[in-house]
Amino acid sequence: MASLNPLATLFLSYLLLTLLLSEAKHTTSSKSTKIGQGYRLISIQDDPNGAITGLLQVKENNNIYGPDIPLLRFYVKHETENRLRVHITDAKNKRWEVPYNLLPREQPPPLKQNIKRLKKKKKPLSVSEYSSSELVFSYTSDPFSFAVKRKSNGDTLFDSNSDSFGPLVFKDQYLEISTKLSKDASLYGFGENTQPHGIKLHPNDPYTLYTTDVSAINLNTDLYGSHPVYMDLRNEGGKSYAHGVLLLNSNGMDVFYKGTSLTYKVIGGVLDFYFFAGPTPLNVVDQYTSFIGRPAPMPYWAFGFHQCRWGYHNLSVVEDVVENYKKAKIPLDVIWNDDDHMDGHKDFTLNPISYPHSKLLNFLDRIHSIGMKYIVINDPGIAVNSSYGVYQRGMANDVFIKYEGEPFLAQVWPGAVYFPDFLNPKTVSWWGDEIRRFHELVPIDGLWIDMNEASNFCSGKCTIPKGKVCPSGTGPGWICCLDCKNITKTRWDDPPYKINASGLQAPIGFKTIATSAVHYNGVLEYDAHSIYGFAQTIATHKALQGLQGKRPFILSRSTYVGSGKYAAHWTGDNKGTWEDLRYSISTMLNFGIFGVPVVGSDICGFYPAPTEELCNRWIEVGAFYPFSRDHANYYSPRQELYQWESVAESARNSLGMRYKLLPYLYTLNYEAHISGAPIARPLFFSFPNYVQCYGLSTQFLLGSGLMISPVLEPGKTEVKALFPPGTWYSLFDLTQVILSKDGNYVTLNAPLHVVNVHLYQNIILPMQQGGLVSKDARMTPFSLIVTFPAGANEGVAKGNLFLDDDELPEMKLGNGHSTYIDFHASVKEGTVKVWSEVQEGEFALDKGWVIDTINVLGLNGNGAKATMEIDGTQSNVKIDITQQSYLYGQGDGEKKTVMAGMKGLNIPVGKNFSVTWKMGS
């Protein structure tokens, strides 16, 4: 569901512009204007824990954006070999930071009330004190600045000392710090943001971080999540180096990227920087997720296809959708309800007329029996209704955010609502109990938490109007009908510096919780705003995990640093346009960098109606999103994939391949969980030395070497795709070879029902035979595709496979319910060998999984010279040799390249095996 459809978006824009013309006091300028004169270092000391602590004194006071904080403490520590922390705060008074219980991490030493001027060191900080680390911290005393360098090559990664921008500024509601950047640096990150120029950050585009219910169709605007992190990728003499920088701060901020500099302007909190040394993109995400939390393990079915719509008015419509997918032979694992199942849009309720309880339970019994799942939406706003049990228990437990001592009143879909305060331990317990109660009523398989930025249809201090029904039940449900007054009397509601909120410098309390509202322990919404959805996600995860001891599935709209540890994400309200199809790739790839690898966009667009051709092309991309779901707006025509026969054909083709790839996707989920590795990745993750792919946003990888090159424009039956150096094989036709010696653009045929997917050399890809439900697909025989460089006389390939009981909360080896296999292959002097190394094979053996087929691509020769041996014993399985054809790249006189295929092998997955044979010349 969305709060902003096209009409609402226009209405919002009109309201914002009107408000801004009358109320805006300051304008946010991206020009480099010096706000202060900076600080000077007055003392420094070593700490017993290996850190250093210093005191900074302001050089000259001014009152632009408020008075300067006179004395700061900075604290620097190498927390690991590859992670450096630089923490700067008020030396005397505790300031807001992201709560340590929500994002667990080391705490700096407590502030000292009686500060003594410490004797300044005679010699400056030297490299030798940090010799065990890849990152080197240095500083300049007056005006204070600091730099972080890479020890191995001397590169400066961050440097706040420059004449081209202002020095450090630290006021209560305005923090500013800048860094120089290498002119060769490619930057990625700073979300959530729909980036029209692609994944690579674009100089002078606005990057504002503040969680906001503004639909994803709005470009260069702060959207649902806040991720103040970026990755910097540089190429020096053909070798790449990547590092990451996180500013752990939940307050609203503008980031000004000029190409050769980056300036943060933050409206509160502290400067808490973490530097991640890399040096590869995968290393950066590994180090980052090691700190913020590894991505959540997802159940196997989460990687199936999902169908949703806002507007399934009754249960019979949902039953028809499931039946029509089955008739059309299109895979479907999960059916969703937006708020249509609710009684009056109220959380944890059922509409007794359109979703009668007994009939819903019968339906769920039927779909559960075949392995399908059911998920419903849940919004944080709790209806103010004295006859509503959820509200009654919430009031009794005092769980709501307060304004002037009373619960803060807002409006969302049910009408007047209060917002739970998820920073309050009592709220977390109450929320878990409400989820438990609803699960006893309806055995849902996961929760979709929406509108949790938090979204509010009204602004300011509101009361329930007397003498009229609100909402009236007619007209758009998102129009504010409460009696409201603007709140501008506090510096929290009207801060001195205006971030570029909603792309229009909207007041930061506009259409959300008033920023002077108060959470548990006196925490201001002003500080905690952007972690609201994150806190709700953690509470929801705890509740679901406690239900039946199963692995939770949560989809959250609002995210923050660390959300990927608990939830998947979809990119919110997009349009059914070719532009939005293209943007979806960049946003998906960004979330992999943010540590939220299970991500996707509404396939075919949320609104308005997509064209038939666009929906064809969108499912050909969306079938390869880590999270693959078709979702549409209440006001849009139906767009399930079977609504057009041509789209159904494209869906059978692309989703058919997805379901064969489920073991690969699930293994990527395991890799994400243990190392943070994104499931969908930009090409530069695998080819960091190949600069031509640094800005590529129209293709992507699943894992290290499965490349999707979709059609993203109308009327096209070809696609021009970039192939990094090496050999690539078409996954839909294994006989087709592209040999890209130095990296090339290749024009590929792409008629309406075709999506181009290519597998890179030196890989072993595990697949199964597919099916209409992942539960069935999961029990089909395995096949392995082995790829060598085309025509190579020598080569190696490897792959892996993780299998487990996906209902268990933990995803790991050693619990007796999982198996891990490393696959290897080699070719040398005509001898081909494929073998496995199995860890804890009992689980796979109990399931009876077998490898039926192995196809080895890129071999040099004409046929098999000798019979095949399996585990040293001669086999009567025939080796079929098929000539492979070059679509691109074969030179004159090059040897033939062939594929060797074996079928009917019946090799147990859970045992080590070895298959060998010799090729003829």
Side-chain angles (χ1 to χ4, degrees):
M1 180 168 54
S3 64
L4 299 175
N5 64 34
L7 289 173
T9 304
L10 288 172
F11 183 73
L12 170 66
S13 300
Y14 170 75
L15 272 182
L16 283 172
L17 287 168
T18 305
L19 201 63
L20 292 166
L21 286 170
S22 61
E23 291 192 2
K25 293 181 182 177
H26 299 288
T27 58
T28 305
S29 171
S30 63
K31 294 176 182 175
S32 296
T33 53
K34 292 190 179 181
I35 306 299
Q37 300 303 312
Y39 287 75
R40 67 169 65 89
L41 180 72
I42 58 172
S43 69
I44 191 163
Q45 69 174 11
D46 294 323
D47 282 10
N49 65 356
I52 60 166
T53 304
L55 285 175
L56 307 174
Q57 188 175 56
V58 71
K59 287 168 67 74
E60 188 179 312
N61 281 301
N62 70 52
N63 282 306
I64 304 171
Y65 303 135
D68 296 275
I69 291 177
L71 199 63
L72 304 179
R73 183 190 75 178
F74 84 87
Y75 170 80
V76 183
K77 186 179 181 186
H78 288 288
E79 294 189 336
T80 72
E81 287 287 301
N82 298 297
R83 182 172 84 230
L84 170 71
R85 183 183 193 182
V86 178
H87 182 278
I88 304 174
T89 188
D90 186 335
K92 293 186 175 180
N93 301 298
K94 191 171 172 59
R95 290 180 62 78
W96 164 258
E97 298 186 46
V98 175
Y100 282 80
N101 64 324
L102 291 188
L103 192 67
R105 59 201 188 277
E106 285 186 39
Q107 295 213 34
L111 299 171
K112 295 175 182 175
Q113 291 307 308
N114 297 313
I115 295 172
K116 295 177 183 177
R117 297 293 190 268
L118 302 167
K119 189 177 178 182
K120 191 172 175 184
K121 280 192 158 190
K122 290 180 182 176
K123 61 175 185 175
L125 194 66
S126 65
V127 173
S128 62
E129 292 179 69
Y130 292 81
S131 58
S132 65
S133 176
E134 170 63 350
L135 297 175
V136 179
F137 175 86
S138 62
Y139 65 85
T140 303
S141 298
D142 189 5
F144 174 78
S145 67
F146 71 89
V148 178
K149 292 188 177 182
R150 186 187 300 283
K151 187 176 179 186
S152 58
N153 67 354
D155 262 8
T156 299
L157 310 186
F158 193 96
D159 184 0
S160 66
N161 181 13
S162 176
D163 294 330
S164 62
F165 45 72
L168 171 66
V169 180
F170 206 117
K171 300 166 185 281
D172 190 27
Q173 288 183 267
Y174 182 81
L175 284 57
E176 181 181 318
I177 192 168
S178 302
T179 177
K180 286 186 269 196
L181 293 169
S182 163
K183 66 181 190 308
D184 300 320
S186 295
L187 266 58
Y188 310 89
F190 291 134
E192 184 172 4
N193 185 318
T194 300
Q195 298 171 197
H197 295 105
I199 185 174
K200 191 170 159 181
L201 297 191
H202 193 263
N204 301 314
D205 273 1
Y207 297 97
T208 298
L209 284 81
Y210 189 74
T211 61
T212 308
D213 177 8
V214 171
S215 65
I217 67 170
N218 294 278
L219 308 180
N220 290 325
T221 300
D222 47 312
L223 300 180
Y224 315 106
S226 175
H227 295 271
V229 63
Y230 70 89
M231 181 187 292
D232 178 328
L233 178 62
R234 306 174 189 180
N235 192 285
E236 298 168 4
K239 182 162 176 53
S240 62
Y241 295 89
H243 68 273
V245 180
L246 166 69
L247 173 55
L248 186 60
N249 181 301
S250 66
N251 290 82
M253 70 180 80
D254 288 328
V255 182
F256 294 105
Y257 171 48
K258 296 298 186 184
T260 56
S261 70
L262 194 70
T263 298
Y264 297 87
K265 299 186 177 188
V266 193
I267 61 172
V270 300
L271 295 176
D272 195 4
F273 281 103
Y274 291 83
F275 299 92
F276 305 93
T280 70
L282 271 177
N283 293 152
V284 172
V285 181
D286 185 359
Q287 294 152 14
Y288 181 57
T289 56
S290 173
F291 170 62
I292 66 166
R294 298 296 194 193
M298 294 289 172
Y300 200 86
W301 52 262
F303 295 95
F305 182 68
H306 304 244
Q307 177 60 51
C308 184
R309 175 181 173 78
W310 178 25
Y312 287 148
H313 298 296
N314 57 53
L315 179 60
S316 63
V317 178
V318 176
E319 291 174 313
D320 283 347
V321 169
V322 172
E323 186 60 30
N324 284 329
Y325 266 95
K326 184 179 175 184
K327 281 181 187 172
K329 294 185 167 52
I330 300 171
L332 180 64
D333 256 73
V334 191
I335 187 72
W336 295 57
N337 261 129
D338 207 309
D339 74 348
D340 305 292
H341 69 285
M342 295 181 184
D343 183 11
H345 307 284
K346 297 191 297 292
D347 281 346
F348 308 119
T349 63
L350 269 187
N351 185 312
I353 296 169
S354 54
Y355 282 81
H357 186 226
S358 60
K359 288 187 177 178
L360 179 60
L361 291 184
N362 286 337
F363 168 68
L364 295 185
D365 282 344
R366 292 199 304 275
I367 67 167
H368 283 153
S369 70
I370 61 170
M372 283 186 64
K373 306 294 178 181
Y374 177 63
I375 293 175
V376 298
I377 202 169
N378 183 290
D379 296 341
I382 300 298
V384 177
N385 184 326
S386 58
S387 64
Y388 173 36
V390 179
Y391 168 80
Q392 293 168 352
R393 291 183 289 272
M395 290 297 289
N397 285 286
D398 192 22
V399 302
F400 299 114
I401 291 171
K402 301 286 179 59
Y403 183 81
E404 295 180 338
E406 297 294 324
F408 175 77
L409 186 72
Q411 180 190 329
V412 202
W413 298 112
V417 298
Y418 293 155
F419 287 115
D421 174 11
F422 292 104
L423 299 184
N424 186 338
K426 283 200 301 184
T427 307
V428 174
S429 300
W430 162 81
W431 185 252
D433 184 58
E434 296 302 339
I435 289 174
R436 177 192 59 78
R437 289 168 181 268
F438 184 67
H439 189 269
E440 288 175 357
L441 183 72
V442 182
I444 53 170
D445 299 290
L447 269 177
W448 171 19
I449 52 177
D450 190 19
M451 309 285 286
N452 52 349
E453 292 72 31
S455 179
N456 180 2
F457 297 163
C458 301
S459 299
K461 179 174 172 56
C462 303
T463 56
I464 297 173
K466 292 179 179 174
K468 71 171 183 176
V469 178
C470 171
S472 65
T474 61
W478 57 83
I479 303 299
C480 180
C481 56
L482 301 178
D483 289 337
C484 302
K485 290 187 260 184
N486 283 338
I487 303 173
T488 56
K489 62 189 175 188
T490 77
R491 62 192 179 100
W492 313 116
D493 298 296
D494 188 26
Y497 175 80
K498 307 291 186 273
I499 61 168
N500 192 27
S502 303
L504 293 163
Q505 294 177 306
I508 57 173
F510 187 75
K511 296 292 181 100
T512 188
I513 300 166
T515 41
S516 54
V518 180
H519 293 254
Y520 179 69
N521 268 355
V523 169
L524 286 166
E525 170 70 8
Y526 180 87
D527 293 314
H529 172 82
S530 286
I531 61 168
Y532 187 84
F534 179 46
Q536 185 200 13
T537 302
I538 294 172
T540 305
H541 188 273
K542 182 179 180 182
L544 287 179
Q545 200 166 51
L547 277 178
Q548 295 172 306
K550 289 185 178 182
R551 190 175 299 175
F553 178 84
I554 300 165
L555 186 73
S556 179
R557 189 168 78 176
S558 186
T559 58
Y560 184 70
V561 174
S563 285
K565 183 179 178 181
Y566 308 98
H569 174 64
W570 94 108
T571 65
D573 301 352
N574 56 0
K575 270 186 177 175
T577 67
W578 293 93
E579 290 79 12
D580 283 69
L581 170 59
R582 193 169 66 249
Y583 303 149
S584 75
I585 295 175
S586 295
T587 308
M588 168 183 70
L589 297 179
N590 263 333
F591 270 88
I593 293 171
F594 298 152
V596 188
V598 183
V599 59
S601 294
D602 286 347
I603 291 169
C604 299
F606 184 63
Y607 64 83
T611 65
E612 183 174 346
E613 182 192 7
L614 175 60
C615 211
N616 270 280
R617 293 309 192 186
W618 208 315
I619 187 56
E620 290 170 2
V621 179
F624 299 98
Y625 291 153
F627 172 65
S628 184
R629 183 182 75 157
D630 181 308
H631 179 43
N633 186 305
Y634 186 96
Y635 298 95
S636 299
R638 297 283 290 273
Q639 64 182 46
E640 293 84 4
L641 302 177
Y642 54 77
Q643 296 288 348
W644 306 268
E645 180 45 44
S646 73
V647 176
E649 185 178 340
S650 293
R652 285 188 289 269
N653 194 36
S654 55
L655 287 174
M657 181 58 77
R658 180 189 182 88
Y659 273 61
K660 291 176 183 177
L661 288 168
L662 284 176
Y664 178 64
L665 287 167
Y666 191 67
T667 301
L668 291 176
N669 178 224
Y670 174 69
E671 289 183 4
H673 181 55
I674 61 172
S675 73
I679 295 172
R681 307 174 192 174
L683 269 64
F684 67 75
F685 265 66
S686 289
F687 304 95
N689 296 331
Y690 185 57
V691 294
Q692 287 85 340
C693 67
Y694 282 14
L696 188 67
S697 306
T698 53
Q699 296 166 249
F700 60 95
L701 296 172
L702 291 177
S704 63
L706 191 66
M707 182 169 74
I708 291 83
S709 306
V711 172
L712 301 173
E713 297 174 80
K716 301 287 187 185
T717 55
E718 294 180 333
V719 62
K720 189 178 179 184
L722 180 64
F723 284 83
T727 305
W728 297 84
Y729 299 92
S730 168
L731 194 61
F732 282 92
D733 182 352
L734 299 178
T735 67
Q736 293 187 2
V737 184
I738 287 174
L739 179 56
S740 179
K741 289 186 176 173
D742 301 310
N744 298 93
Y745 274 97
V746 180
T747 299
L748 305 169
N749 283 332
L752 189 61
H753 305 301
V754 169
V755 58
N756 281 280
V757 181
H758 288 84
L759 185 61
Y760 193 53
Q761 65 190 32
N762 307 324
I763 285 174
I764 301 178
L765 179 69
M767 300 173 70
Q768 285 175 285
Q769 292 181 2
L772 295 182
V773 180
S774 66
K775 181 183 177 184
D776 295 338
R778 199 176 185 195
M779 298 315 297
T780 61
F782 281 83
S783 62
L784 300 179
I785 299 174
V786 181
T787 61
F788 292 120
N793 291 313
E794 289 190 13
V796 294
K798 59 184 180 179
N800 48 39
L801 176 63
F802 178 81
L803 303 160
D804 76 344
D805 176 350
D806 69 311
E807 299 231 306
L808 293 176
E810 292 188 298
M811 190 183 214
K812 65 177 186 180
L813 283 171
N815 57 9
H817 298 277
S818 53
T819 296
Y820 185 84
I821 305 107
D822 281 305
F823 295 111
H824 301 272
S826 65
V827 58
K828 188 172 183 180
E829 297 173 356
T831 297
V832 184
K833 182 179 179 183
V834 183
W835 72 99
S836 71
E837 295 172 350
V838 179
Q839 296 179 55
E840 304 183 32
E842 295 81 5
F843 175 73
L845 289 172
D846 288 347
K847 292 291 184 183
W849 281 308
V850 296
I851 297 167
D852 175 75
T853 305
I854 298 177
N855 287 304
V856 183
L857 317 185
L859 294 170
N860 184 1
N862 293 320
K865 196 171 173 182
T867 53
M868 181 179 66
E869 291 184 352
I870 300 179
D871 299 330
T873 302
Q874 187 172 313
S875 169
N876 58 7
V877 171
K878 185 185 171 199
I879 301 175
D880 290 319
I881 302 297
T882 307
Q883 179 79 44
Q884 294 186 281
S885 58
Y886 285 82
L887 286 181
Y888 182 90
Q890 185 185 31
D892 293 337
E894 287 191 26
K895 294 178 181 177
K896 290 180 178 178
T897 300
V898 298
M899 173 174 76
M902 294 140 277
K903 193 170 174 59
L905 293 168
N906 205 37
I907 298 169
V909 170
K911 279 186 181 174
N912 290 351
F913 74 86
S914 174
V915 174
T916 57
W917 75 93
K918 200 163 183 66
M919 295 295 294
S921 57

